[in-house]
């Protein structure tokens, strides 16, 4: 028990910070680029805008291809790429690279769905005012899709926290790494359990915040 | 030149490899300031047709001219400019749910290039016109259907349009609320001289609102006439069906069954409402020797002109009944004999 506390005291703060770093960077980039790609997928599929089935199919194919990689394999395949981008692939920054590559197509599909669910009639009404696409995006697509986008962000962050544990096992650090190194390799069951409890709490809190935010932006 | 000219427009959709002709060879001329109705059953192509007027739907063949501009071949910029001159209101209101009433209208103003600083004043003016000044900061979900449609009208009027397109604008509302909306539209039409194109399957709307009307069936216009003539003298089968469904004083089934066992025929007479039928009925009864009993009747006003509908039961010698029917046919607008 004392040993567990000592290990946690010495490593937990650092591990949490590393996990945060990885999830924050990959989540942020994933949401930004995922939204752009999701919007493009929607734009080129919707008969209300500019349907270009070829563009939609090609982009959709690439996204599906990346998403069909089991994350463990994606991570290993991307080690050279992570090295090129972040210098050392076995750091939180290196780990964030493969997480980002996984997050972008994941969130792109969620964003596409969020836009596609908007009532077509509202968009038709917006188009009939003669508004530009940019104005329609700002004033119609974005506010109407926002609650669904927030739920998508929550889902993405929670998935990334899970994946970040996997990145930890190949040495990128983080809370998953802590659990494996001490809890599994050194039979410190106390550390393992503590990490699980912390993860459960973190996920619950994120979900709660996300639900509150989504509800706040829904006026229906 | 008419304000809206639709020339030989056809719209064909490709649905799962099959060509569906939503609109076929439609030509219409709609004049500035008139309220033009398009009626027909759902699926007749009305919605598709009205969408060709603001370019939301491109015709497969044919052209559409709005205020002298051929919008079928217009580029994006001209199309966008034309749309600002055409307001559109929808059956399901189509307001942005996560934006307030004021923001919904501000959207249309911004789209039309209205300076942001002057928007609040214009929004107040627009909401005043539809009687919703106090609901500026409300979200659409907190409004009733009728209030939502008023916001829809305010939004459609934001850029001082010359034309207002209404797609089943009252169909999702109860009759009383629909009448309020119709009153607002009439008021807008007279005060601002805005041309209104209104499509609907509700004949109640047609009788109160339209100056002229086109009847659509299977993508084609089968009849163009004035609102009064649509009710008084429908020509096409479709118009007759629509009008009869609206005007017929449907007798209770029990009464029809009971009368079916008696010798005689049920007639539905349609006549110019300001003529009195009394002398005619007395005259025909006397001349042909039949007995005529009145089952029920009503009078509808279409643009202040009345149409009377009267159901009568004619009994007597079979030949006398036939003579009576023939006599009625020469005296009233239409005679419908309920088959036995």
């Amino acid at each position: 028990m004392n040993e567990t506390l000592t290990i946690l005291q010495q490593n937990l703060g650092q591990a949490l910070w590393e996990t945060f770093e990885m999830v924050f960077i990959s989540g942020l980039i994933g949401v930004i680029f995922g939204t752009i790609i999701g919007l493009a997928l929607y734009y080129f599929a919707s008969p209300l805008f500019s349907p270009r089935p070829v563009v939609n199919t090609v982009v959709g194919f690439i996204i599906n291809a990346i998403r069909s990689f089991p994350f463990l394999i994606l991570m290993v395949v991307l080690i050279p790429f992570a090295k090129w981008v972040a210098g050392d692939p076995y750091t939180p920054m290196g780990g964030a690279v493969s997480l980002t590559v996984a997050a972008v197509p994941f969130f792109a599909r969620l964003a596409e769905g969020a836009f596609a669910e908007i009532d077509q009639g509202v968009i038709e009404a917006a188009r009939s005012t003669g508004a530009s696409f940019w104005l329609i995006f700002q004033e119609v697509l974005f506010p109407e899709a926002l609650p669904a986008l927030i739920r998508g962000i929550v889902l993405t962050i929670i998935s990334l926290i899970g994946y970040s544990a996997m990145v930890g096992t190949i040495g990128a650090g983080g809370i998953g790494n802590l659990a494996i190194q001490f809890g599994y390799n050194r039979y410190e069951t106390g550390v393992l359990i503590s990490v699980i409890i912390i993860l459960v709490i973190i996920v619950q809190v994120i979900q709660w915040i996300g639900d509150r935010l989504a509800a706040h932006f829904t006026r229906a | 030149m008419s304000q809206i000219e639709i020339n030989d427009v056809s719209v064909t959709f490709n649905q799962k490899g099959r060509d569906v002709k939503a609109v076929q060879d439609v030509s219409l001329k709609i004049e500035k300031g008139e309220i033009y109705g398009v009626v027909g059953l759902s699926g007749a192509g009305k919605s598709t047709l009205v969408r060709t007027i603001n370019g939301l739907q491109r015709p497969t063949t044919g052209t559409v001219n709005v205020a002298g501009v051929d919008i079928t071949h217009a580029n994006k910029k001209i199309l966008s400019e034309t749309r600002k001159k055409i307001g559109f209101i929808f059956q399901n209101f189509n307001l942005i749910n996560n934006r307030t009433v004021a923001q919904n209208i501000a959207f249309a103003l911004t789209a039309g290039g209205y300076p942001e600083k002057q928007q609040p004043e214009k929004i107040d003016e627009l909401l005043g016109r539809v009687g919703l000044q106090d609901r500026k900061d409300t979200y659409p979900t907190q409004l009733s259907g009728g209030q939502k449609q008023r916001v829809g009208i305010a939004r459609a009027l934001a850029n001082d349009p010359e034309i207002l397109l209404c797609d089943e604008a009252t169909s999702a509302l109860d009759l009383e609320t629909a009448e309020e909306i119709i009153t607002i539209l009439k008021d807008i039409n007279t005060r601002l001289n805005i041309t209104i194109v209104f499509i609907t399957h509700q004949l109640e709307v047609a009788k109160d609102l339209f100056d002229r009307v086109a009847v659509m069936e299977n993508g084609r216009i089968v009849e163009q006439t004035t609102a009064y003539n649509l009710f008084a003298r429908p020509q096409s089968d479709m118009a007759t069906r629509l009008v009869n469904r609206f005007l017929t004083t449907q007798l209770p089934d029990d009464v029809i069954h009971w009368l079916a066992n008696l010798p005689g025929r049920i007639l539905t007479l349609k006549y110019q409402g300001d003529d009195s039928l009394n002398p005619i009925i007395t005259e025909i009864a006397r001349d042909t020797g039949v007995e005529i009993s009145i089952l029920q009747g009503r009078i509808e006003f279409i643009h202040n002109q009345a149409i009377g509908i009267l159901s009568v039961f004619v009994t007597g010698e079979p030949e006398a009944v036939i003579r009576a029917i023939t006599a009625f046919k020469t005296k009233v607008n239409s005679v419908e004999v309920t088959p036995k």
Side-chain angles (χ1 to χ4, degrees), chain B residues 37 52 55 60 73 75 110 113 124 136 147-148 164 168 260-261 297 310 323 328 331 340:
Chain B
T52 63
T60 313
H73 299 100
N75 60 31
T110 307
D124 284 340
K136 228 179 3 185
Q147 290 172 325
K148 283 184 200 173
L164 190 57
E168 298 276 5
N261 296 324
L310 192 68
R323 276 205 307 279
F328 271 122
K331 303 277 186 190
K340 283 224 156 183

Side-chain angles (χ1 to χ4, degrees), chain A residues 43 119 121-122 124-131 135-136 138-140 143-144 147 217-220, chain B residues 51 54 56 76 80 83-84 86 88 90 94-99 107-108 110-111 139 141 155 159:
Chain A
Y43 182 84
D119 182 359
V122 181
E124 209 186 14
R127 292 236 309 153
S128 70
T129 62
L135 185 65
I136 295 177
Q138 281 179 296
E139 292 299 318
V140 183
E144 295 293 87
F217 287 108
T218 307
R219 316 286 181 164
Chain B
R51 277 164 177 71
N54 76 345
L56 277 180
K76 262 191 174 173
S80 171
R83 277 186 188 153
K84 285 166 195 168
I86 306 176
F88 204 129
F90 299 84
N94 293 347
L95 303 174
I96 311 165
N97 280 327
N98 291 331
R99 290 282 194 251
F107 172 81
T110 307
Y139 286 93
T141 40
R155 174 177 65 180
N159 295 312

Side-chain angles (χ1 to χ4, degrees), chain B residues 133-146:
Chain B
Q133 303 92 314
D134 51 337
R135 308 311 292 270
K136 228 179 3 185
D137 299 316
T138 317
Y139 286 93
T141 40
Q142 293 162 280
L143 299 175
S144 70

Side-chain angles (χ1 to χ4, degrees), chain B residues 43-328:
Chain B
K46 309 183 296 289
S47 287
T48 309
L49 179 66
V50 78
R51 277 164 177 71
T52 63
I53 299 174
N54 76 345
L56 277 180
Q57 176 66 54
R58 275 194 189 257
T60 313
T61 57
T63 57
V64 179
N65 280 279
V66 177
V69 180
D70 176 358
I71 62 153
T72 351
H73 299 100
N75 60 31
K76 262 191 174 173
K77 193 164 169 264
I78 293 174
L79 192 61
S80 171
E81 285 307 312
T82 310
R83 277 186 188 153
K84 285 166 195 168
K85 285 187 260 167
I86 306 176
F88 204 129
I89 64 176
F90 299 84
Q91 176 171 10
N92 298 315
F93 327 121
N94 293 347
L95 303 174
I96 311 165
N97 280 327
N98 291 331
R99 290 282 194 251
T100 62
V101 166
Q103 287 171 324
N104 265 280
I105 298 169
F107 172 81
L109 287 170
T110 307
Y114 203 86
E116 206 162 321
K117 272 191 185 162
Q118 294 154 39
Q119 284 184 6
E121 208 176 313
K122 180 78 178 175
I123 290 168
D124 284 340
E125 180 202 321
L126 288 162
L127 285 175
R129 184 161 282 143
V130 295
L132 280 180
Q133 303 92 314
D134 51 337
R135 308 311 292 270
K136 228 179 3 185
D137 299 316
T138 317
Y139 286 93
T141 40
Q142 293 162 280
L143 299 175
S144 70
Q147 290 172 325
K148 283 184 200 173
Q149 195 57 294
R150 289 167 191 229
V151 179
I153 294 172
R155 174 177 65 180
L157 295 179
N159 295 312
D160 302 317
E162 290 159 24
I163 298 166
L164 190 57
L165 306 176
C166 310
D167 182 4
E168 298 276 5
T170 55
S171 304
L173 306 171
D174 59 71
L175 277 180
E176 207 166 308
T177 315
E179 271 167 26
E180 283 171 29
I181 297 295
I182 288 168
T183 311
I184 293 174
L185 290 175
K186 267 184 167 169
D187 178 61
I188 288 166
N189 171 257
T190 27
R191 274 210 249 171
L192 308 174
N193 197 31
I194 294 179
T195 311
I196 296 181
V197 182
F198 195 112
I199 70 168
T200 185
H201 64 270
Q202 295 175 311
L203 275 269
E204 296 87 341
V205 180
K207 94 178 162 70
D208 290 335
L209 187 65
F210 300 165
D211 297 320
R212 287 197 301 149
V213 60
V215 181
M216 250 186 125
E217 184 183 11
N218 294 329
R220 292 178 191 278
I221 301 248
V222 291
E223 184 164 345
Q224 273 195 77
T225 179
T226 62
Y228 181 77
N229 278 339
L230 174 71
F231 289 94
R233 285 175 281 275
Q235 304 295 314
S236 61
D237 285 350
M238 189 68 225
T240 313
R241 268 172 64 194
L242 286 169
V243 168
N244 279 354
R245 193 172 308 160
F246 174 68
L247 282 184
T248 300
T249 45
Q250 184 64 45
L251 293 165
D253 284 347
D254 284 352
V255 175
I256 293 174
H257 282 303
W258 176 62
L259 291 174
N261 296 324
L262 300 175
R265 306 302 298 261
I266 303 170
L267 307 185
T268 306
L269 313 170
K270 215 194 276 175
Y271 60 101
Q272 226 77 353
D274 36 6
D275 299 344
S276 168
L277 263 193
N278 262 333
I280 297 173
I281 289 175
T282 324
E283 200 177 294
I284 290 175
R286 192 184 54 217
D287 291 354
T288 60
V290 293
E291 277 185 38
I292 299 170
S293 35
I294 291 168
L295 300 171
Q296 62 175 335
R298 69 193 258 220
I299 294 176
E300 282 290 343
F301 285 89
I302 288 120
H303 284 262
N304 302 322
Q305 286 178 280
I307 291 176
I309 312 108
L310 192 68
S311 297
V312 295
F313 189 63
V314 184
T315 48
E317 294 292 317
E319 277 168 27
V321 171
I322 291 169
R323 276 205 307 279
I325 292 172
T326 318
F328 271 122

